Amino acid sequence: MSSGIKQSATSIKLIAASDLDRGNVEQAGIEHLVVFLGDGTRSQPALKNSFPLIAVAFSEEAEADLRDALVSLRRLATVPEVPVQRLDARNGAEMCALIRTLAEGGLGRLSRFAASMTSELAMLRREREVLFESYRALEDAFQTHNWEPVAEVFGNDPYVDPKDEGIGQLLSSAHVEQLLPVSSRGVAGIALHLNSVPKDGAELVVTLSYVESREGVAEWSVPASKLVPNWNFFSLPRACGCGAKTLRLRVSTTGPETVGLSLGFPIASERYTARSEVSHPDLDLRPLAFRVFTGLPGVRPTRMPNMIAPTDLLDGQFIEDYRLAPDLLSRIVDVSVTPVVPEFQTVRFLEHEHAVVCHPLQSGISAGAVSRAVEPGTISFSASAVIDHPEGAPAAVSFLLAPANSNARSEVAELVRKGSAKPSAFFSGWREVGPDRAINVNIHMDEPVRAPMDLMILSRAVTDSVDFSWLKVSGFRLVKQSGEAVDVRQ
């Protein structure tokens, strides 16, 4: 076995020779330092791990073949002109000793060091390309974020605790408040996460206001049919401006069906946890699952399934959302106007449900009145109604707001005679309701009421039968609005 076999296969090849001299080169013991050029390398020499500095030939034929092969190296600007050294084949080993000493000695070490530097430079170049590619990706992501018309600035992801009882009933009997830990400047919308949405029979009410002045921003009254069991984006027609303020989100529902409003992960700051006027175990150190967006108003963020516009703009107004207290509803009195004298109580208060029953009769109007139930400044009133029996006959329901201390029975009689209320009263109009689904009945006043008013709940028959027509009304929600600041210490 020749000594060249024992050399490292990765040695830099600094000598060029013709393929015709392969036998002589092997006998000289320098084949591990030689790159062979021949007929197969005329168009593209195989110079991997090679840098020929000298060429050797042992015969005239090999020299001529070698010179022809070296012509193709001239296209490589990094390879200098290679001189050809003619050697004697009989004394090849002795003549190649000096060449071998130079190639494996100082020149070899220098070539190996240069090759190592070249490898390091190539690796650094690849790493630089990777870094540049990563930088370009980050730059593209940053530019894309800047190009987004609406951007998320804060978010609480939904979290389901195995011990969660759900806050659906809490929303229908009270409300949940959430402070937003961002400046109001530039806020264009809020997204709320719902884990479940009923098909119908419920309405989600969302109010956005400023904490410092209690000035309202907007209100959304959304029926369940427009909600999705996912993120729901509540947009503003114009972004919040002026000075940076703190925003408060208030959420409640109307109707017998519950909406599954999602809560987020527990947090340490009690200031930014969800709160309610009624205690609930799931609200213990838990915020709502919400997202805050800034940017162009009226634009739906990417990947949001829907966009909900506000039903009321409250700029410059100071609002207060309140419910009718059970002790107030318990004072309801029967003011029906009907020629029929029933054998059962048609109007009564259900204490365990905080609801009112107003059973219609075959003729006339069944009515119940709550004195001074509506406070001054009230701008809207809403409640839900349903026939609380699976076989109950359908009925018509309405609400009437009359001036306090007026004759309630006279107000109802006026409605029976003329089909319309007196000019001093607010009438919701008749809505048909059945046992299959609940409905929401709303009254929106053109301007806030100036003095306390009486609330009247009315019902009448819509068919020949009123069997089991137990009309139940619940979720009495009112919104007060004024142009003057409210004492925030209350």
Side-chain angles (χ1 to χ4, degrees):
M1 181 180 293
S2 66
S3 60
I5 302 293
K6 301 178 183 179
Q7 304 300 322
S8 172
T10 60
S11 297
I12 302 297
K13 297 179 180 181
L14 304 177
I15 307 169
S18 171
D19 197 53
L20 300 178
D21 279 336
R22 187 179 293 273
N24 294 326
V25 170
E26 291 178 353
Q27 289 181 1
I30 60 172
E31 69 273 15
H32 62 287
L33 303 173
V34 175
V35 54
F36 292 98
L37 305 177
D39 292 338
T41 61
R42 289 291 188 266
S43 59
Q44 186 176 1
L47 297 179
K48 182 179 180 181
N49 206 26
S50 304
F51 193 86
L53 298 178
I54 190 172
V56 295
F58 291 89
S59 63
E60 294 183 359
E61 295 82 0
E63 181 179 355
D65 182 68
L66 182 59
R67 291 185 182 278
D68 291 340
L70 291 176
V71 173
S72 59
L73 296 182
R74 295 173 183 173
R75 294 175 300 178
L76 305 175
T78 57
V79 179
E81 190 71 25
V82 180
V84 180
Q85 180 67 40
R86 181 71 178 270
L87 302 178
D88 187 358
R90 291 174 297 178
N91 301 318
E94 292 79 0
M95 300 181 69
C96 290
L98 178 60
I99 297 176
R100 179 174 179 177
T101 300
L102 290 174
E104 292 182 342
L107 187 60
R109 288 193 299 271
L110 181 62
S111 65
R112 288 191 294 272
F113 178 72
S116 176
M117 289 185 60
T118 303
S119 299
E120 291 290 338
L121 288 174
M123 184 174 65
L124 289 174
R125 182 178 179 181
R126 287 193 296 270
E127 291 181 354
R128 185 190 66 172
E129 291 296 332
V130 172
L131 288 175
F132 274 139
E133 195 66 30
S134 300
Y135 173 78
R136 283 189 290 268
L138 288 173
E139 186 178 35
D140 292 343
F142 178 77
Q143 293 295 339
T144 301
H145 185 272
N146 284 344
W147 292 335
E148 285 286 342
V150 182
E152 179 182 338
V153 295
F154 187 86
N156 277 330
D157 292 329
Y159 170 70
V160 178
D161 192 302
K163 299 180 181 179
D164 278 352
E165 299 177 5
I167 60 173
Q169 294 296 334
L170 175 61
L171 293 173
S172 61
S173 61
H175 59 260
V176 174
E177 291 186 350
Q178 174 71 59
L179 291 184
L180 306 185
V182 296
S183 168
S184 64
R185 187 186 298 274
V187 171
I190 310 294
L192 290 176
H193 190 276
L194 305 178
N195 53 67
S196 64
V197 177
K199 294 182 179 179
D200 207 343
E203 186 178 58
L204 185 68
V205 181
V206 180
T207 304
L208 188 66
S209 60
Y210 296 115
V211 173
E212 290 79 3
S213 62
R214 300 186 69 175
E215 181 181 354
V217 179
E219 181 183 71
W220 296 263
S221 297
V222 191
S225 58
K226 294 185 179 180
L227 300 172
V228 297
N230 202 325
W231 288 105
N232 296 262
F233 180 64
F234 298 83
S235 67
L236 290 171
R238 54 181 175 272
C240 297
C242 302
K245 302 177 183 178
T246 308
L247 289 171
R248 175 190 283 119
L249 199 65
R250 178 176 289 187
V251 186
S252 61
T253 61
T254 61
E257 299 290 337
T258 59
V259 176
L261 184 64
S262 299
L263 293 172
F265 288 81
I267 57 177
S269 176
E270 295 184 5
R271 178 175 176 83
Y272 295 108
T273 58
R275 297 183 180 181
S276 177
E277 57 188 7
V278 180
S279 61
H280 193 282
D282 290 347
L283 296 184
D284 186 20
L285 297 180
R286 299 275 297 278
L288 295 181
F290 69 92
R291 293 176 177 175
V292 183
F293 294 86
T294 60
L296 296 178
V299 177
R300 180 169 60 88
T302 307
R303 295 183 297 276
M304 280 291 167
N306 62 355
M307 183 173 70
I308 304 168
T311 52
D312 287 299
L313 294 178
L314 306 173
D315 290 346
Q317 300 294 329
F318 302 88
I319 61 171
E320 182 179 355
D321 188 327
Y322 69 101
R323 306 272 179 153
L324 292 186
D327 58 343
L328 183 64
L329 289 173
S330 65
R331 297 200 294 267
I332 190 169
V333 295
D334 191 340
V335 293
S336 302
V337 176
T338 173
V340 180
V341 179
E343 298 179 355
F344 56 91
Q345 186 179 2
T346 58
V347 177
R348 58 192 176 94
F349 172 66
L350 301 178
E351 183 177 1
H352 61 288
E353 297 186 46
H354 297 176
V356 171
V357 169
C358 187
H359 196 292
L361 298 175
Q362 291 182 343
S363 62
I365 294 179
S366 297
V370 182
S371 178
R372 307 178 70 88
V374 181
E375 300 177 7
T378 300
I379 191 67
S380 67
F381 170 86
S382 64
S384 63
V386 68
I387 299 297
D388 196 23
H389 194 285
E391 299 179 3
V397 61
S398 66
F399 298 116
L400 183 67
L401 305 184
N405 301 323
S406 62
N407 190 319
R409 200 176 299 272
S410 174
E411 298 282 349
V412 177
E414 181 78 8
L415 189 62
V416 173
R417 287 194 307 270
K418 296 183 178 181
S420 61
K422 293 180 180 180
S424 59
F426 296 98
F427 181 54
S428 67
W430 293 101
R431 292 281 307 278
E432 185 173 338
V433 58
D436 52 344
R437 64 184 181 89
I439 63 169
N440 289 300
V441 185
N442 303 276
I443 298 179
H444 291 275
M445 278 66 81
D446 295 333
E447 59 182 16
V449 299
R450 300 179 181 274
M453 303 192 76
D454 297 342
L455 168 65
M456 299 176 206
I457 304 167
L458 314 175
S459 68
R460 71 180 184 184
V462 296
T463 63
D464 295 337
S465 173
V466 291
D467 293 343
F468 307 110
S469 187
W470 295 105
L471 175 65
K472 183 174 71 174
V473 185
S474 60
F476 297 91
R477 174 181 175 270
L478 300 93
V479 177
K480 286 199 304 184
Q481 176 177 312
S482 67
E484 298 180 357
V486 182
D487 186 358
V488 296
R489 294 172 297 178
Q490 294 179 354

